[in-house]
Amino acid sequence: MASLKQLVFSRRPAEGETGVAESVRTRTDIEELKITGDWFGDDDAEELGAALAHNTSLKKLILYNCSFGGRGLRGITEALKTSTVIDCLEL
């Protein structure tokens, strides 16, 4: 598998495509993750938060124009409390 530094999701992955949480959980070469669009809601953010606990390479997380609210934000911030790798968060 080729090394990947940046992963960008600007739409919901289609059936059969690898999703955000699965990518974060399984790829150990992603250093920057950018998610844009109102398709990314609370459930997605909670799944991302759970996946962040398994990732040891992600340094920068960019969430732009997403539609998650308090529940999703809590899922992500709980993961960030224990992350020793992520050093940049852009909202």
Side-chain angles (χ1 to χ4, degrees), residues 19-80:
V20 175
E22 184 179 347
S23 295
V24 169
R25 195 172 21 260
T26 59
R27 296 293 303 247
T28 58
D29 54 350
I30 300 170
E31 293 182 7
E32 181 177 313
L33 175 63
K34 182 177 183 179
I35 302 169
T36 63
D38 62 358
W39 63 271
F40 193 79
D42 281 322
D43 292 340
D44 302 300
E46 284 185 323
E47 289 177 16
L48 174 59
L52 288 171
H54 302 280
N55 186 286
T56 58
S57 64
L58 190 64
K59 296 177 182 175
K60 186 175 186 178
L61 177 60
I62 302 166
L63 303 169
Y64 178 72
N65 200 29
C66 297
S67 64
F68 60 84
R71 182 169 56 94
L73 185 59
R74 276 189 298 282
I76 292 172
T77 56
E78 286 301 313
L80 293 178

